[in-house]
Amino acid sequence: MKKGGKKMKEAERKLYEKGYYLSNQFDGFGTVPNEYELAGRNGNTIIDHLTAQ
């Protein structure tokens, strides 16, 4: 999973510490460039189609 920028990595670390997981957006066939999904501890998607902007 490639995510650019110091702010993005910091945001991902803070989310992980609270039990949330960030992954590349999946469209059923593959991943969508520069889009992410946020999932909770149970693995259910909370928010999708997020960008680093």
Side-chain angles (χ1 to χ4, degrees):
M1 175 176 4
K2 185 178 180 184
K3 294 183 232 29
K6 189 175 182 179
K7 288 182 182 180
M8 184 69 174
K9 289 181 183 184
E10 179 69 13
E12 183 179 7
R13 183 185 65 76
K14 287 181 179 182
L15 288 165
Y16 181 78
E17 288 174 353
K18 294 181 183 231
Y20 297 100
Y21 304 93
L22 199 59
S23 61
N24 288 99
Q25 178 70 41
F26 184 72
D27 68 359
F29 300 100
T31 58
V32 179
N34 302 315
E35 287 193 16
Y36 307 95
E37 296 177 318
L38 182 66
R41 288 186 176 110
N42 58 9
N44 291 337
T45 300
I46 297 169
I47 303 172
D48 59 359
H49 297 285
L50 296 168
T51 64
Q53 298 175 348

